[in-house]
């Protein structure tokens, strides 16, 4: 197997059998501007620790696959320019050529599974983009959820995506979509959407039980846990709709395609909301880190069907 470079705290946690939560790095390099990105990365790690688990931020640095970054590495990554955005298709090439890259949801799931980590917290997953019937732009994150056994906690799907089509692809791929504590599927900046969640669970123990049962059934793949943004941090969907439409139109005009699309839209929405999108994003990622920590603890302690 590829050598895994664990941070000191991740190595200690795994040796002691205490819960570990994986965190992605594309959100740091391509999802938020510096210096807020570093601040958020540190805060989310602290949230995981405060919740009794150990954070493992995953990234490729100089060809080494890191499971947990020391603070100096986190700081360097947050400020680095030209960092690759790695998904399933390009992680091996980056490692083989000694490159540096941030891991998306798909690549973080792959690395977490290799390292024996079953739970991962992020903000939003990639999905089916608007206009996918022409562009075929469907994130590799959805196919990863179908094949790699990691439970991913996110705040639902962003309105930059075609959310109904995203749920359809997840269903086709056999991915359990579990909303935490409510019936409505959350829409990232909004805690609810007009769509009903395929599944609902109200506590972390049930989510951990479903994760284990999936494995016992011999089913590959993970689960998507949709955790609604905390009350008070929502941005009304009606406020964002014209901003998203404008960002999308600019992306189309400028011919942005492939892996450039999601970072372009996130950056333009940040600018057009004058940072309001980022404040909401921070609140929901922190909330997801706390829930993921509970699920990671429950996975270690609860027997199936308890
Ligand atoms: N959605 C967000 N914030 C993000 C991303 C998506 O709200 O930071 C990042 C994640 O790393 C996700 C990736 O895995 O974008 C998806 O990119 P693509 O759509 O190119 O698959
Ligand atoms: Mn894409």
């Amino acid at each position: 197997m590829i050598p895994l470079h664990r941070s000191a705290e991740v190595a200690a946690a795994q040796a002691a059998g205490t819960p570990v939560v994986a965190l992605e790095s594309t959100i740091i390099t391509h999802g938020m501007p510096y210096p807020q990105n570093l601040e958020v990365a540190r805060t989310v790690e602290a949230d995981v620790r405060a919740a009794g688990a150990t954070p493992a931020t995953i990234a490729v640095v100089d060809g080494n696959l890191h499971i947990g970054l020391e603070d100096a590495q986190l700081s360097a990554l947050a400020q680095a320019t030209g960092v690759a955005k790695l998904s399933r298709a390009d992680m091996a090439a980056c490692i083989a050529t000694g490159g540096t890259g941030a891991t998306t949801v798909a690549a973080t799931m792959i690395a977490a599974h290799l390292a024996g980590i079953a739970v991962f917290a992020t903000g939003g997953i990639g999905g089916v983009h608007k206009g996918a019937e022409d562009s075929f732009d469907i994130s590799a994150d959805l196919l990863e959820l179908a094949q790699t056994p990691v439970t991913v906690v996110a705040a639902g799907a962003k309105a930059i995506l075609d959310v109904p089509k995203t749920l359809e692809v997840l269903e086709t791929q056999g991915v359990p979509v579990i909303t935490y504590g409510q019936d409505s599927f959350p829409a990232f900046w909004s805690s609810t959407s007009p769509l009903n969640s395929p599944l609902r669970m109200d506590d972390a123990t049930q989510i951990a039980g479903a994760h284990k049962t999936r494995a016992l059934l011999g089913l590959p793949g993970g689960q998507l846990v949709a955790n609604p943004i905390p009350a008070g941090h929502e941005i009304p969907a009606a406020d964002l709709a014209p901003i998203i439409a404008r960002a999308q139109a600019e992306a189309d005009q400028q011919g942005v395609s492939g892996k450039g699309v999601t970072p372009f839209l996130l950056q333009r929405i940040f600018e057009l909301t004058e940072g309001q999108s980022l404040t909401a994003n921070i609140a929901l990622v922190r909330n997801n880190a706390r829930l993921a920590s509970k699920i990671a603890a429950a996975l270690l302690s609860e027997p199936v069907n308890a």
Side-chain angles (χ1 to χ4, degrees):
M1 196 171 85
I2 194 98
L4 300 175
H5 299 260
R6 289 178 170 84
S7 64
E9 67 174 328
V10 169
Q14 291 195 307
T18 57
V20 178
V21 171
L23 301 168
E24 62 155 306
S25 46
T26 295
I27 190 173
I28 303 172
T29 56
H30 294 72
M32 298 179 183
Y34 181 81
Q36 291 99 327
N37 60 350
L38 177 57
E39 210 177 296
V40 175
R42 285 177 171 151
T43 303
V44 172
E45 289 200 346
D47 288 331
V48 171
R49 291 186 194 102
T54 298
T57 301
I58 290 175
V60 176
V61 180
D62 299 332
N64 293 320
L65 179 53
H66 287 269
I67 311 295
L69 297 176
E70 307 298 344
D71 192 66
Q73 293 171 320
L74 194 65
S75 173
L77 190 70
Q79 296 172 68
T81 50
V83 176
K85 174 184 161 191
L86 304 178
S87 189
R88 165 171 281 261
D90 31 31
M91 186 157 58
C94 182
I95 293 171
T97 57
T100 293
T103 51
T104 58
V105 168
T108 304
M109 289 177 74
I110 293 168
H113 179 53
L114 284 173
I117 301 170
V119 183
F120 160 26
T122 186
I125 59 159
V128 181
H129 278 265
K130 294 187 203 286
E133 56 275 25
D134 295 320
S135 67
F136 276 46
D137 189 347
I138 300 174
S139 176
D141 293 351
L142 302 183
L143 304 184
E144 203 60 49
L145 280 160
Q147 58 187 311
T148 301
V150 172
T151 287
V152 179
V153 183
K158 248 184 193 160
I160 61 171
L161 301 170
D162 185 321
V163 180
K165 285 196 182 76
T166 300
L167 287 175
E168 287 294 346
V169 169
L170 287 165
E171 187 196 13
T172 302
Q173 294 291 328
V175 177
V177 176
I178 303 165
T179 295
Y180 182 63
Q182 66 181 36
D183 294 328
S184 172
F185 184 68
F188 199 84
W189 288 296
S190 309
S191 63
T192 59
S193 76
L195 302 165
N196 269 332
S197 177
L199 297 164
R200 168 186 176 157
M201 289 186 178
D202 291 348
D203 66 69
T205 304
Q206 290 176 331
I207 297 169
H211 178 107
K212 285 184 186 166
T213 304
R214 211 168 145 72
L216 290 174
L217 284 168
L219 299 174
Q223 314 186 105
L224 176 62
V225 175
N227 189 26
I229 184 172
H233 292 279
E234 293 183 81
I235 306 179
D239 292 0
L240 280 170
I243 288 172
I244 291 168
R246 180 170 160 192
Q248 183 69 59
E250 289 176 5
D252 294 343
Q253 274 156 20
Q254 294 177 33
V256 181
S257 65
K259 58 171 60 191
V261 173
T262 297
F264 179 92
L265 295 175
L266 297 180
Q267 172 63 24
R268 284 303 284 142
I269 291 165
F270 170 73
E271 290 161 4
L272 293 169
T273 61
E274 290 162 355
Q276 201 196 348
S277 67
L278 183 61
T279 309
N281 204 340
I282 293 167
L284 64 86
V285 180
R286 298 186 64 184
N287 193 44
N288 296 344
R290 291 187 283 264
L291 178 57
S293 301
K294 285 191 208 161
I295 298 168
L299 266 177
L300 292 177
S301 59
E302 299 296 330
V304 177
N305 287 335

